[in-house]
Amino acid sequence: DYAHKMLSEEFGEDWKEKYVVWDCCWGTGNLTRDYQFKELYASTLEQAELDCGKRYNSEATKFVFDFLNETIENMYGWNEKIPIGLRNAFKENKPIIFFINPPYATSTNVKKKVKGNRVITDTGIGKKMKIAKLGQANKQLYAQFLYRICLIKKHYNLSNIHIGLFSPTLY
């Protein structure tokens, strides 16, 4: 509720109707549930998370998408996982709010392994951050989410991107 209050103060009470909203680390929907959105996209890593939160945000377009590893486009065109409405939002430069509560894991505090036996913070975006010489930020998952959003903004030449980020005080 507090997150919604903060965004309403910044973007107006009608932000859920005026903006395309993408929670690109939706998980089971804790940040968006109990609220209605005109155009909500909810993506997460695992189908099981979508299944767990299936009764929330029935109006949303939900999809499995690895935001830190998968491409939005490739040499053949759009990644088929990206919903047409979201593609159009990019093409039309619609106002978009990335409304996220990303994982706070770092490579130093998480020993969890994921597919391919890699450390959870070893992502494609983390590697791009390392190449860009962004220091230790590449080891922070929430920093990787922010960097990916910046890359999307730049790639699609978007001029109306906003971020509603809820993170620990470390940020």
Side-chain angles (χ1 to χ4, degrees):
D1 290 338
Y2 185 72
H4 289 262
K5 177 184 178 288
M6 296 297 293
L7 267 70
S8 292
E9 288 176 9
E10 182 67 27
F11 300 111
E13 292 292 327
D14 59 349
W15 68 272
K16 293 177 208 72
E17 290 81 38
K18 287 177 28 182
Y19 291 86
V20 172
V21 178
W22 186 7
D23 183 345
C24 54
C25 45
W26 192 74
T28 57
N30 288 331
L31 195 57
T32 59
R33 72 176 177 205
D34 302 327
Y35 293 91
Q36 292 287 313
F37 296 80
K38 180 180 177 188
E39 193 172 356
L40 172 64
Y41 297 93
S43 61
T44 192
L45 277 174
E46 304 289 339
Q47 181 63 46
E49 293 174 323
L50 294 179
D51 295 343
C52 185
K54 68 182 170 189
R55 68 177 181 254
Y56 307 126
N57 300 110
S58 60
E59 80 286 2
T61 301
K62 301 173 188 172
F63 57 106
V64 174
F65 183 70
D66 186 343
F67 191 75
L68 299 178
N69 285 299
E70 290 188 73
T71 60
I72 291 176
E73 288 182 83
N74 58 40
M75 60 191 278
Y76 306 107
W78 289 94
N79 181 331
E80 64 185 29
K81 291 182 178 182
I82 303 298
I84 291 172
L86 190 53
R87 296 177 197 180
N88 290 338
F90 291 154
K91 289 178 191 176
E92 298 167 20
N93 195 24
K94 288 184 175 180
I96 299 173
I97 294 177
F98 284 87
F99 187 36
I100 60 174
N101 179 18
Y104 312 135
T106 67
S107 60
T108 56
N109 70 7
V110 173
K111 302 295 184 217
K112 182 178 177 185
K113 303 283 185 175
V114 292
K115 294 177 186 170
N117 204 30
R118 65 175 172 77
V119 176
I120 195 170
T121 56
D122 291 342
T123 68
I125 295 299
K127 289 174 187 163
K128 286 183 179 195
M129 292 174 74
K130 195 171 191 176
I131 291 168
K133 300 186 185 316
L134 294 176
Q136 296 299 309
N138 73 74
K139 296 179 181 177
Q140 299 282 346
L141 282 181
Y142 66 89
Q144 291 182 23
F145 275 88
L146 290 172
Y147 189 67
R148 178 69 188 270
I149 292 167
C150 291
L151 293 175
I152 289 169
K153 180 185 186 301
K154 182 178 180 181
H155 179 79
Y156 293 99
N157 197 30
L158 301 173
S159 60
N160 206 356
I161 292 290
H162 307 277
I163 302 171
L165 169 76
F166 299 88
S167 70
T169 55
L170 173 65
Y171 175 71

